[in-house]
Amino acid sequence: MTNIPRRSLAAGVGLLLGAMAIPARSQQLAISATTLRLTPKPLTFNPDKVKGLSADLLRHHYDEIYVRAIKRVNALNEELSKLDFNQAPPEALAKLKSEELASYNTTILHELYFDGIGEAPTNPSGLLAQAMSRDFGSLDRWKAEFMATGRSLADGDGWVILSHSARDKRLYNHRTASVSEVPAGNTPLLAMDVHRHAYEKDYDSDAEKYIEAFVQAIKWTNPERLYREAMRL
């Protein structure tokens, strides 16, 4: 019989016990994770002083759409953090992940929307103004395309997103009829919500008047900051 040193035998037993414990630890890791908790960003303007968009409309939009989306993202992440992905039915996971994407995109787009509104609207300036003139021909042509894209959504729901493409090194106005549709590889700079909840309290079904009011209320400081950050990437 081969003599095995006591220290080696103890080490071997320890390795064996450790190997037997791995599945249990792996299972524990599989069903626990750090839960993402989002908090609503405060408005950067006084809703009572925005020309063309009433305080009632803006507060309702913020509280009932944006804040509710934040709460839904948190609830979904809580649910996902407790899920054993090795055992989860594919249909249930598909529903959760689809709603997670839609709810998360809703929060991001609404933050862009509200950060683009001001009680003292400004005009594009600096590097962003130069890029808009370069990529759209002129600021007036950008405005015409942005508004026309919004009108193309007036019979349904959706967003118009001014974004910067890292791939093409240029700006685009993207049209999306669903929050689950996003321009891949782009940094969104400004978003206009064209869902009915964004204008119905003020303009009933007249989306065109709302679009005009939104464009007149744009405060460009946030899109300019986001563009400078995108250019440094």
Side-chain angles (χ1 to χ4, degrees):
M1 180 175 178
T2 305
N3 284 327
I4 301 176
R6 185 175 299 176
R7 183 177 299 173
S8 298
L9 181 60
V13 171
L15 288 173
L16 178 61
L17 292 173
M20 291 171 65
I22 286 175
R25 287 203 301 269
S26 298
Q27 186 177 14
Q28 184 178 3
L29 289 172
I31 60 174
S32 63
T34 301
T35 304
L36 175 68
R37 298 293 300 176
L38 300 181
T39 56
K41 290 183 63 176
L43 292 174
T44 57
F45 57 86
N46 184 342
D48 295 306
K49 296 183 178 180
V50 177
K51 186 177 180 180
L53 301 173
S54 71
D56 185 40
L57 169 70
L58 291 168
R59 290 194 177 101
H60 178 270
H61 196 167
Y62 179 88
D63 293 333
E64 298 301 322
I65 306 301
Y66 168 60
V67 173
R68 280 192 177 186
I70 290 276
K71 292 177 179 177
R72 187 59 187 146
V73 169
N74 290 337
L76 286 164
N77 277 285
E78 180 75 25
E79 192 169 350
L80 285 164
S81 72
K82 297 175 181 176
L83 200 63
D84 183 350
F85 295 110
N86 294 316
Q87 303 295 327
E91 300 82 3
L93 184 59
K95 182 178 179 181
L96 284 171
K97 296 301 288 184
S98 295
E99 191 176 353
E100 178 195 37
L101 176 64
S103 298
Y104 186 77
N105 283 355
T106 295
T107 68
I108 298 300
L109 290 174
H110 276 94
E111 287 171 359
L112 286 167
Y113 174 78
F114 289 118
D115 283 346
I117 294 174
E119 62 231 50
T122 61
N123 291 315
S125 63
L127 293 175
L128 179 58
Q130 296 172 24
M132 292 173 75
S133 294
R134 178 196 68 209
D135 296 335
F136 297 103
S138 67
L139 296 179
D140 285 341
R141 183 167 174 79
W142 167 82
K143 179 179 176 181
E145 180 185 320
F146 190 84
M147 294 179 67
T149 305
R151 290 193 296 271
S152 76
L153 287 159
D155 291 333
D157 293 332
W159 293 83
V160 184
I161 306 168
L162 170 65
S163 64
H164 173 260
S165 167
R167 175 184 180 274
D168 301 334
K169 301 295 190 291
R170 62 152 293 163
L171 301 171
Y172 288 95
N173 285 324
H174 287 292
R175 177 189 190 277
T176 172
S178 167
V179 289
S180 296
E181 299 173 1
V182 293
N186 284 19
T187 299
L189 309 176
L190 174 73
M192 178 172 66
D193 192 346
V194 197
H195 292 80
R196 276 186 171 269
H197 62 242
Y199 59 87
E200 195 167 35
K201 277 182 173 289
D202 284 357
Y203 296 103
D204 194 22
S205 60
D206 195 341
E208 185 164 355
K209 285 186 179 179
Y210 156 73
I211 291 166
E212 292 172 1
F214 174 82
V215 171
Q216 292 300 317
I218 294 174
K219 179 182 65 181
W220 285 96
T221 50
N222 192 62
E224 288 166 356
R225 176 185 65 81
L226 293 172
Y227 180 70
R228 290 193 300 269
E229 291 175 0
M231 294 299 291
R232 288 196 292 266
L233 295 178

